[in-house]
């Protein structure tokens, strides 16, 4: 029997999360093998919303320019009562914190094709379609059996032969029915939301009454969601009984009644030649979190780790954030010899963030679409009253994605008189470099970076050297003062940005030093480079 080939990372699942993870790893020089049971992109629409943070991540893997023509900015979210009167409106800006519209509508198959085309251009990546993964098992030759190699067994279509590959790490991006999740013994934590909804995707040239945002109908008997996805594509979601058909003569008449607030269809129950139902599917919307996201070198990402109702459009977004958070850490361990303890921060940072957004989605599902209990009307009244308070709707739209919680790689300091920057993501304005107008991330590269308003002190320079970080004075970037104002609000002279653009640490105004390098230096220290290329040791200053 031939020895199993070995590859640094095996990714189970070639959806947007898995392929994005492979592309991010490639940017850090890590080879990966992506195993996918389907041979081609699933052709029907599923996810239709991404936020500006995710578009920034797509920028980092090089598909943003090709993706832009397939997107359409959405104006925000409206809450409507059963008679379609506006309860509240949550606006979304066309110019978000990350340099893109805060909400963009898109067609998932188009995004997946772009990601796979990008993957095919990367020699570090290999995609094998038509493959069924049958087991994921960790060898026990590592310390305490926790860091040994991972053995992945799979079958190709039409073959009974089981092949194997050995990996230094496995990323389970294999969805809600994840085999990878089962392999590490993870189980679901129920966050107490489960409803059956019908999702209907339509293509039509008829006149549709839309405000160019998302409508959420807050009705205890027939809650619904409506959105325009593209030029001629629309999505409706209704809470319907699974036995309530929407095809055939009677079904088409029922569909006409459901979409009547937005669209006029012939009264004879026919749909006409200019109204095509692309897909209708019954989904059970659930709120769940896996109790563990990692065992040794096996990790869960996306729907394998968390499930959310779709009401705030964060399902796909959360999975892409998982990939962005984990891949740079994994690359630092695999390529540069950082400690495995660095990988512990993945679940510690991402799980609370995902839990927060799931709870927001559940709150939308119960309080805004009504739920099915006697308190539904009271909840809608409370939401309506709260949304009339000045500034509430703007704040909700602005702060949908929270900062990362304090931890080993997020050094918080007392708020004092400024905003806490650690754990937040730095803004991405347009900047001018050598006469060219580019986005900030295009000059930051794929590693750490120091943004500063003052000349670097010796300690700041030592940190930058040790991490291979670029040091950039923001006052010469031609960004209309966006970055300087952001630093000023946080009462910081400088920030240390991680590769995922989260603020790791700050230099408080007038101090000259990062607050607590001793707390995170050991996690980021690397030892697997030739001596002549090895960066200087990280300074271990006392905390302030």
């Amino acid at each position: 029997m031939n020895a199993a080939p070995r590859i640094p990372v095996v990714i189970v699942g070639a959806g947007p999360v898995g392929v994005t993870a492979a592309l991010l790893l490639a940017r850090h020089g890590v080879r990966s093998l992506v195993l996918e049971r389907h041979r081609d992109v699933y052709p029907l629409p599923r996810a239709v919303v991404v936020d500006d943070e995710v578009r920034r991540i797509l920028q980092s893997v090089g598909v943003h320019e090709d993706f832009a023509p397939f997107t359409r900015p959405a104006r925000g979210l409206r809450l409507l009562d059963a008679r379609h009167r506006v309860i509240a409106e949550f606006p979304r800006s066309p110019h978000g914190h990350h340099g893109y519209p805060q909400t963009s509508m898109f067609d998932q198959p188009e995004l997946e094709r772009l990601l796979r085309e990008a993957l095919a251009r990367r020699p570090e990546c290999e995609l094998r379609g038509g493959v069924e993964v049958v087991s994921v098992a960790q060898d026990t030759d590592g310390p305490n059996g926790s860091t040994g190699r991972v053995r992945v067994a799979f079958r190709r279509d039409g073959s009974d032969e089981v092949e194997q590959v050995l990996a230094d790490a496995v990323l389970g991006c294999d969805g809600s029915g994840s085999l990878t999740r089962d392999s590490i013994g993870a189980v679901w934590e129920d966050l107490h939301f489960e409803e059956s909804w019908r999702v209907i995707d339509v293509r039509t040239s008829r006149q549709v009454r839309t405000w160019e945002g998302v409508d959420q109908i807050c009705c205890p008997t027939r809650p619904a969601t409506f959105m325009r996805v593209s030029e001629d594509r629309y999505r409706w979601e209704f809470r319907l009984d699974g036995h309530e058909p929407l095809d055939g003569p009677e079904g088409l008449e029922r569909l006409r009644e459901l979409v009547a607030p937005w669209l006029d269809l012939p009264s004879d129950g026919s749909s006409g030649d200019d109204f095509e139902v692309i897909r209708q599917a019954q989904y059970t919307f659930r709120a769940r979190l896996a109790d563990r996201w990692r065992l040794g070198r096996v990790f869960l990402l996306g729907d394998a780790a968390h499930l959310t109702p779709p009401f705030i459009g964060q399902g796909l977004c959360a999975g892409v954030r998982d990939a962005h958070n984990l891949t740079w850490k994994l690359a630092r361990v695999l390529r540069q010899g950082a400690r495995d303890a660095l990988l512990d921060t993945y679940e510690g940072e991402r799980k609370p963030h995902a839990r927060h957004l799931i709870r927001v989605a559940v709150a939308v599902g119960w309080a805004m679409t009504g739920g099915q209990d006697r308190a539904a009307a009271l909840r809608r009244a409370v939401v309506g009253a709260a949304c009339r308070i000045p500034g509430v709707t703007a704040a909700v739209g602005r702060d949908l994605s929270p900062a990362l919680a304090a931890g080993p790689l997020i050094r918080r300091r007392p708020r004092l008189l400024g905003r806490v920057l650690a754990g937040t993501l730095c803004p991405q304005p347009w900047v001018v470099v050598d006469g060219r107008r580019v986005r900030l991330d295009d000059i930051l590269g794929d590693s750490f970076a120091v943004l500063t308003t003052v000349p670097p002190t010796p300690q700041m320079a030592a940190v930058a050297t040790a991490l291979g970080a670029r040091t950039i004075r923001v006052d010469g970037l031609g960004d209309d003062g966006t970055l300087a104002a952001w630093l000023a609000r946080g009462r910081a002279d400088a920030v240390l940005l991680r590769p995922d653009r989260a603020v790791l640490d700050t230099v408080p105004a007038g101090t000259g030093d990062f607050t607590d390098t001793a707390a995170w230096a050991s996690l980021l220290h690397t030892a697997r480079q030739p001596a002549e290329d090895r960066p200087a040791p990280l300074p271990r200053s006392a905390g302030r």
Side-chain angles (χ1 to χ4, degrees):
M1 182 176 179
N2 295 330
R6 186 167 180 176
I7 195 160
V9 179
V10 169
I11 299 172
V12 184
V17 176
V19 177
T20 297
L23 290 169
L24 288 167
L25 287 169
R27 299 274 295 198
H28 294 288
V30 177
R31 293 189 302 114
S32 65
L33 170 65
V34 185
L35 301 177
E36 168 58 44
R37 61 193 179 97
H38 297 294
R39 290 192 175 276
D40 200 358
V41 170
Y42 185 72
L44 297 179
R46 285 163 290 165
V48 292
V49 179
V50 290
D51 59 24
D52 53 328
E53 180 183 344
V54 168
R55 289 197 62 178
R56 185 177 187 177
I57 297 170
L58 296 177
Q59 174 191 339
S60 72
V61 299
V63 302
H64 63 295
E65 291 186 358
D66 291 331
F67 182 53
F70 297 104
T71 66
R72 188 187 64 79
R75 291 177 57 184
L77 169 70
R78 291 193 314 186
L79 307 180
L80 309 179
D81 65 15
R83 296 171 60 184
H84 285 237
R85 296 172 300 188
V86 177
I87 300 172
E89 183 175 314
F90 301 90
R92 301 292 275 169
S93 170
H95 307 289
H97 183 78
H98 300 283
Y100 296 94
Q102 283 187 298
T103 299
S104 296
M105 313 303 296
F106 76 106
D107 184 15
Q108 182 171 334
E110 294 290 354
L111 173 59
E112 291 198 39
R113 289 187 189 96
L114 293 174
L115 288 170
R116 289 197 181 195
E117 289 169 3
L119 194 75
R121 295 192 292 267
R122 298 295 311 215
E124 304 91 343
C125 307
E126 179 186 353
L127 170 62
R128 294 185 193 173
V131 167
E132 178 192 5
V133 174
V134 296
S135 69
V136 176
Q138 300 199 57
D139 285 357
T140 57
D141 58 351
N144 301 316
S146 63
T147 58
R149 295 165 299 182
V150 186
R151 191 175 298 270
V152 181
F154 60 91
R155 293 192 194 92
R156 300 175 191 263
D157 276 352
S159 173
D160 293 328
E161 180 185 357
V162 175
E163 302 178 51
Q164 293 187 345
V165 63
L166 289 176
D168 296 317
V170 169
L171 308 188
C173 306
D174 45 347
S176 59
S178 171
L179 176 145
T180 311
R181 186 179 61 249
D182 293 342
S183 78
I184 66 171
V187 296
W188 286 123
E189 175 191 352
D190 188 356
L191 297 184
H192 310 298
F193 185 94
E194 184 168 325
E195 288 189 351
S196 182
W197 284 63
R198 188 77 57 85
V199 177
I200 305 161
D201 288 288
V202 166
R203 178 177 287 111
T204 182
S205 58
R206 288 177 173 268
Q207 187 69 34
V208 179
R209 294 178 284 275
T210 175
W211 76 295
E212 301 300 338
V214 177
D215 285 341
Q216 187 73 61
I217 313 305
C218 304
C219 173
T221 58
R222 183 62 73 215
T225 302
F226 164 73
M227 65 199 77
R228 179 184 172 196
V229 178
S230 64
E231 185 66 28
D232 62 349
R233 270 202 48 227
Y234 303 85
R235 171 170 288 183
W236 282 272
E237 298 170 357
F238 299 100
R239 193 172 66 199
L240 297 177
D241 187 285
H243 302 292
E244 192 172 353
L246 295 179
D247 48 16
E250 293 184 2
L252 288 174
E253 172 58 23
R254 180 67 178 129
L255 180 59
R256 187 186 70 82
E257 295 173 0
L258 290 170
V259 303
W262 299 276
L263 173 68
D264 296 321
L265 290 178
S267 58
D268 61 5
S270 65
S271 62
D273 296 334
D274 52 1
F275 183 87
E276 176 191 2
V277 176
I278 303 171
R279 180 194 69 149
Q280 60 166 307
Q282 194 79 14
Y283 283 96
T284 300
F285 295 159
R286 295 185 172 95
R288 292 179 175 178
L289 271 174
D291 65 338
R292 63 166 63 168
W293 292 24
R294 174 196 177 196
L295 181 64
R297 289 284 185 82
V298 180
F299 302 84
L300 304 180
L301 295 82
D303 286 355
H306 42 74
L307 296 175
T308 181
F311 303 118
I312 59 172
Q314 285 293 307
L316 175 63
C317 295
V320 174
R321 287 190 182 97
D322 294 342
H324 205 210
N325 183 287
L326 175 60
T327 49
W328 73 266
K329 299 170 183 176
L330 186 57
R332 198 163 184 87
V333 170
L334 297 181
R335 292 271 296 170
Q336 297 174 270
R339 295 165 48 210
D340 258 52
L342 176 60
L343 303 175
D344 293 336
T345 65
Y346 165 61
E347 181 175 342
E349 291 179 350
R350 285 296 306 139
K351 191 173 185 179
H353 193 282
R355 183 187 297 274
H356 171 87
L357 289 177
I358 292 172
R359 283 176 169 166
V360 172
V362 169
V364 171
W366 285 115
M368 298 180 181
T369 66
Q372 302 178 62
D373 58 19
R374 294 180 179 179
L378 176 60
R379 284 196 296 269
R380 289 194 302 278
V382 170
V383 169
C387 291
R388 287 190 288 272
I389 299 173
V392 167
T393 56
V396 170
R398 183 177 62 248
D399 298 324
L400 182 63
S401 180
L404 296 176
L409 294 180
I410 300 295
R411 306 311 301 168
R412 291 277 177 90
R413 63 186 178 91
R415 182 179 292 271
L416 300 177
L417 298 177
R419 179 186 178 191
V420 175
L421 296 183
T424 67
L425 298 173
C426 79
Q428 183 182 211
W430 288 93
V431 299
V432 179
V433 177
D434 297 330
R436 296 185 302 115
R437 188 170 179 263
V438 297
R439 298 182 189 272
L440 175 66
D441 287 359
D442 292 337
I443 66 169
L444 293 184
D446 297 315
S447 186
F448 294 83
V450 174
L451 299 182
T452 179
T453 59
V454 299
T457 64
Q459 193 253 18
M460 291 164 58
V463 167
T465 299
L467 292 174
R470 294 196 63 181
T471 299
I472 297 174
R473 289 284 298 270
V474 302
D475 51 2
L477 287 177
D479 65 337
D480 297 327
T482 298
L483 293 169
W486 173 68
L487 289 166
R489 287 194 299 272
R491 296 179 63 83
D493 283 340
V495 292
L496 174 61
L497 301 181
R498 308 181 334 180
D500 57 5
R501 306 310 178 219
V503 176
L504 191 161
D505 206 345
T506 62
V507 175
T511 65
D513 290 347
F514 288 105
T515 57
D516 193 5
T517 56
W520 48 260
S522 62
L523 278 182
L524 298 177
H525 177 72
T526 60
R528 196 178 296 154
Q529 294 173 287
E532 63 272 17
D533 296 330
R534 191 173 299 155
L538 285 160
R540 300 176 66 84
S541 64
R544 294 181 182 271

